[in-house]
Amino acid sequence: SGQGAHEAEVSYLRILRFTEKEVQFADQMRYFRNGILYYGTSLDGEYAEKVIEFTKKIYPKLKEMVN
């Protein structure tokens, strides 16, 4: 919680051995989420599709780590 908390969560993906590309995309989503939440920024459908594909890719890895 607090400033930098979400950056730490994204950085933790490196410790979990996610690729640098995956970590950077997660960080980009964090940045855009803040823009949406605090400044009313809107994103296009193409970016939303990229987020969905990323989620489909990363979810099984995270689920496996939990089990």
Side-chain angles (χ1 to χ4, degrees):
S1 119
Q3 187 171 354
H6 297 287
E7 291 172 0
E9 292 167 356
V10 170
S11 293
Y12 190 68
L13 293 175
R14 287 186 181 96
I15 294 170
L16 297 176
R17 298 181 186 253
F18 283 86
T19 68
E20 189 59 29
K21 185 177 178 180
E22 291 167 332
V23 173
Q24 288 177 3
F25 190 76
D27 190 48
Q28 182 184 70
M29 288 190 306
R30 176 198 61 79
Y31 178 81
F32 288 150
R33 177 226 175 247
N34 287 344
I36 292 166
L37 186 64
Y38 297 113
Y39 306 108
T41 305
S42 64
L43 301 173
D44 62 20
E46 183 179 337
Y47 187 75
E49 289 295 326
K50 288 180 184 180
V51 170
I52 291 168
E53 289 304 312
F54 177 76
T55 303
K56 287 179 180 178
K57 179 181 174 184
I58 201 170
Y59 179 77
K61 292 180 183 183
L62 291 171
K63 188 174 179 180
E64 183 178 316
M65 289 176 188
V66 171
N67 293 331

